[in-house]
Amino acid sequence: MKSNLLYSVLATLLITAFYSCGGSGDLSEVNVYSHRHYPVDQEIFKNFSNLTGIKVNVVSASADELITKLELEGNRSPADLLITVDAGRLEKAKAAGLLQKVNSITLSDRIPPRFRDPENFWFAFTYRARAIAYAPDRVDAEEVSTYEDLASPLLKNRVVMRSSEHTYNQSLMASLLAHWGPEKSAEWCEALAENFSRSPRGNDRDQLKAIAAGQGDVTICNTYYVAKLAESPIKEEREVVDKIKIIFPNQEDRGAHINISGVGLTKHAPNKENAISLMEYLISSEVQEKFSVENHEYPVIDGVKRSSYLEEWGSFKIDSLPLGKLGEYNDEAVRIIDQCGWR
Ligand SMILES: [Fe+2]
């Protein structure tokens, strides 16, 4: 009897030691801090749970809020993964020491180098183009074929834009800054702000609606919002799409600015193995297709079925600026937009 008891105490101690040494918390869960705001994600996480038995817990907030949360929580953070809609924020999290390297052959083999951090601290699982949308009855396509064109005096009082506080616009500015330097970037930003027909407000969809309503003639938006309006159950939203066209900017020179949705493993991830399994699942063909067909984002791997909208818009030249630069130039980009009148 005595030895039986001893064995069971020893066994309990061993199991406890295994869990704590291995650094894994509850073997059946993974904790995700996410800035994504699309219903398709919930479905994907549910499918992952059904497949693996690993429960996915999600905390939703902006990337900046989640980064602050990670900083405050330090090594007590329950978070395993940080998901953002911006390479700049992942790069910032890396620079702040909040992420760790992931050595996964699946991730590095399947994701092309342009869509991951060269040191494997973060990985994109989709990308999105920040395109120009315009009213074809009032604007010639040639007048709005580049981001530079939007600052032309021709477009005075005709541009509507989302606030510069949003990461999408900060990263666009960061990309231009990386290409042009501070002087030209500030000039562009001022001229752009002078062209606004109203003060910035609303999200990308609201800018498209404003064009359809004649409150402006041109804007910049992520392409998937056009597809989402086209599929809206609301008739007025579907009609917006009939009144606009999109253009991939700068096709004759450096290419269109893109951004990504990506993921990094947190420095103190308590469920590291589960987290890496989820990262790998996000780039499986099945999930890549879902991101594309259901959310109209561009998959990072080739050979998966794409949304009919992406097929219709066709292929385009992508700005080859390394995505990490969006983080490097973020602070300076924010300073420029704060001063140029794009609020
Ligand atoms: Fe979005």
Side-chain angles (χ1 to χ4, degrees):
M1 275 302 277
K2 245 186 178 175
S3 64
N4 275 351
L5 182 65
L6 188 65
Y7 272 124
S8 80
V9 169
L10 267 177
T12 310
L13 283 174
L14 274 172
I15 290 166
T16 312
F18 171 77
Y19 284 131
S20 47
C21 289
S24 27
D26 186 338
L27 274 180
S28 62
E29 67 178 9
V30 59
N31 300 317
V32 178
Y33 283 8
S34 178
H35 187 183
R36 279 174 63 92
H37 51 89
Y38 318 107
V40 73
D41 291 26
Q42 285 148 30
E43 233 182 280
I44 289 167
F45 293 151
K46 203 173 131 221
N47 292 348
F48 174 75
S49 297
N50 290 341
L51 208 67
T52 61
I54 299 167
K55 189 170 166 238
V56 183
N57 307 308
V58 182
V59 172
S60 296
S62 78
D64 286 338
E65 287 164 340
L66 294 171
I67 285 172
T68 304
K69 189 165 161 64
L70 283 171
E71 276 169 340
L72 291 172
E73 289 169 346
N75 61 10
R76 295 180 324 276
S77 176
D80 298 297
L81 294 174
L82 174 67
I83 289 180
T84 72
V85 288
D86 174 42
R89 293 305 188 280
L90 284 170
E91 190 66 20
K92 281 196 148 184
K94 175 191 172 187
L98 298 171
L99 302 180
Q100 60 173 301
K101 260 185 212 206
V102 174
N103 296 313
S104 155
I105 293 167
T106 307
L107 295 177
S108 42
D109 275 5
R110 278 172 76 80
I111 305 174
R114 81 184 325 172
F115 294 125
R116 53 186 159 88
D117 170 48
E119 295 178 311
N120 293 330
F121 278 84
W122 54 259
F123 302 83
F125 51 86
T126 67
Y127 69 94
R128 50 274 296 286
R130 204 135 178 79
I132 290 173
Y134 65 99
D137 57 337
R138 307 191 291 275
V139 182
D140 285 336
E142 307 84 69
E143 292 171 340
V144 291
S145 67
T146 65
Y147 299 112
E148 288 86 331
D149 285 340
L150 300 194
S152 154
L154 260 182
L155 295 177
K156 188 130 186 100
N157 293 324
R158 298 170 70 192
V159 178
V160 287
M161 287 289 261
R162 181 179 204 160
S163 161
S164 62
E165 278 173 22
H166 197 274
T167 51
Y168 296 156
N169 286 335
Q170 287 182 11
S171 278
L172 170 65
M173 191 71 238
S175 80
L176 298 175
L177 178 61
H179 284 296
W180 297 339
E183 206 173 311
K184 185 175 169 186
S185 301
E187 278 169 18
W188 176 83
C189 192
E190 271 166 37
L192 174 77
E194 275 171 25
N195 284 345
F196 290 168
S197 63
R198 61 174 196 178
S199 57
R201 73 191 74 146
N203 57 27
D204 279 15
R205 273 182 254 220
D206 294 322
Q207 312 314 311
L208 298 169
K209 290 177 190 171
I211 294 177
Q215 292 160 5
D217 295 340
V218 58
T219 190
I220 297 176
C221 72
N222 287 355
T223 48
Y224 55 85
Y225 289 117
V226 178
K228 281 169 183 266
L229 284 179
E231 288 190 335
S232 169
I234 302 161
K235 183 168 159 268
E236 290 74 26
E237 292 200 333
R238 291 196 303 275
E239 285 169 356
V240 165
V241 181
D242 300 331
K243 295 178 185 158
I244 56 150
K245 272 195 163 167
I246 63 160
I247 262 187
F248 293 106
N250 299 79
Q251 294 302 285
E252 303 302 318
D253 45 79
R254 65 181 182 275
H257 164 67
I258 62 152
N259 207 331
I260 55 140
S261 230
V263 58
L265 179 68
T266 62
K267 175 89 174 278
H268 305 289
N271 306 287
K272 188 173 163 178
E273 277 175 34
N274 294 349
I276 294 173
S277 298
L278 180 54
M279 290 170 102
E280 293 174 345
Y281 181 65
L282 293 178
I283 55 144
S284 64
S285 301
E286 172 200 337
V287 176
Q288 288 285 292
E289 184 177 316
K290 229 173 163 47
F291 281 132
S292 180
V293 173
E294 291 180 34
N295 211 43
H296 313 292
E297 295 174 82
Y298 289 89
V300 291
I301 64 166
D302 288 332
V304 299
K305 190 176 163 209
R306 290 179 168 211
S307 151
S308 58
Y309 295 95
L310 306 196
E311 296 296 353
E312 183 191 319
W313 296 327
S315 59
F316 64 97
K317 184 177 175 186
I318 297 175
D319 183 347
S320 62
L321 184 81
L323 289 163
K325 296 277 180 203
L326 304 180
E328 252 176 69
Y329 283 92
N330 178 267
D331 289 347
E332 201 179 348
V334 170
R335 263 199 303 279
I336 289 174
I337 31 191
D338 274 352
Q339 287 166 9
C340 82
W342 178 2
R343 293 278 182 267

